[in-house]
Amino acid sequence: MAVPDRMDEQLRALGLVEGQRAARALFSEVTARGLIAPGWLESEVADRIRELAREMSPRVPRRPLPVVRSGPQCVLPGGQEPTDDRVIEPDDLVIADLGPMFAGYGTAFARTAVAGQDPDRLRLLDDLPRVFTAVREAFRAELPMTGAALYAEARTLATKAGWTLGGWHAGRLTDATPPARDAVRAEAWISPDNDRPLRRTTDEGHQAHWVLEIHLVDEHRGFGGAYTGLLDLA
């Protein structure tokens, strides 16, 4: 197996960061233009985001679309696709997963918006980046940190904020895709089953880079939100 050289690794990391930057700029424009609003189907919002992305960068492909889910479908764990194309309702939380649009960069990016002023949903919206940042700071502070240990930290911080950490994992290697849980390689996920250090070289010889996925859920009221981004790169 050929070992990637230093320049290969630098270019790979730069590509991940550039994808994150582009996705962040797109979501900022989505919110500035109010594209996520009550009365629209999730598929219609996905189309509007795709057209905005093409306006901002003509190189953005027409497929795949972003994944947009709203209301109770935001409680579904990442990788489990919603079965219905809902109309966004007042006070819904709406997750926009832009990762599929930036797959060429190998990155992942999801953010949440709220279509209303419900105080509990607004509190969750505020807590998502706070928990994400706290988990990332815990990762940076502890050497070594295993996937299981970081998952436990994410679950603890979510509970302290008054939420449940949704799903069976809190992130993945940047080159991993979300299969069924029984098909995963434990070492590729930030999950209770991963006892390997996150800072390591992958089996393919690359420096491991990670996506952190914070999914906070109110199990009693049936709503949730997600905040996804790079863990170990700025």
Side-chain angles (χ1 to χ4, degrees):
M1 178 181 66
V3 177
D5 62 26
R6 185 174 180 182
M7 181 61 71
D8 287 339
E9 290 289 3
Q10 289 177 336
L11 290 174
R12 180 168 167 265
L14 285 172
L16 290 166
V17 172
E18 173 58 20
Q20 198 87 151
R21 183 207 63 76
R24 189 180 298 114
L26 174 58
F27 186 75
S28 178
E29 192 65 17
V30 166
T31 56
R33 298 194 188 191
L35 299 189
I36 299 174
W40 294 87
L41 286 167
E42 293 165 336
S43 61
E44 291 174 330
V45 172
D47 281 332
R48 298 173 86 195
I49 293 173
R50 188 269 312 276
E51 292 309 313
L52 173 59
R54 287 182 59 80
E55 176 186 323
M56 295 174 66
S57 176
R59 294 181 302 169
V60 172
R62 290 191 174 276
R63 290 288 189 273
L65 289 168
V67 177
V68 176
R69 59 178 70 190
S70 64
Q73 300 195 140
C74 291
V75 179
L76 297 174
Q80 182 177 337
E81 299 299 329
T83 56
D84 299 322
D85 188 11
R86 290 184 73 252
V87 174
I88 297 171
E89 299 178 359
D91 286 331
D92 271 351
L93 284 164
V94 182
I95 298 173
D97 181 358
L98 307 184
M101 304 181 71
F102 295 92
Y105 292 97
T107 195
F109 184 94
R111 292 292 188 268
T112 303
V114 63
Q117 297 296 318
D118 176 74
D120 290 329
R121 288 169 171 78
L122 289 172
R123 183 171 70 85
L124 186 141
L125 200 66
D126 289 340
D127 282 343
L128 282 165
R130 292 173 185 164
V131 173
F132 181 96
T133 299
V135 175
R136 187 164 59 181
E137 288 176 350
F139 167 78
R140 291 174 175 174
E142 184 173 331
L143 296 171
M145 172 73 81
T146 67
L150 192 61
Y151 177 86
E153 185 70 22
R155 184 173 57 187
T156 296
L157 289 166
T159 300
K160 285 183 177 178
W163 311 104
T164 297
L165 186 67
W168 57 269
H169 68 87
R172 56 177 174 79
L173 281 171
T174 54
D175 59 356
T177 54
R181 183 174 184 178
D182 58 3
V184 304
R185 295 181 297 126
E187 65 270 19
W189 297 84
I190 301 172
S191 74
D193 300 324
N194 184 5
D195 59 2
R196 295 188 64 184
L198 297 176
R199 296 176 181 86
R200 58 179 171 82
T201 301
T202 67
D203 294 340
E204 292 75 26
H206 293 287
Q207 175 64 40
H209 295 303
W210 294 88
V211 171
L212 178 61
E213 302 182 28
I214 297 300
H215 182 205
L216 301 182
V217 173
D218 184 321
E219 293 184 308
H220 300 293
R221 297 185 61 189
F223 63 80
Y227 195 102
T228 298
L230 293 173
L231 171 63
D232 59 302
L233 296 169

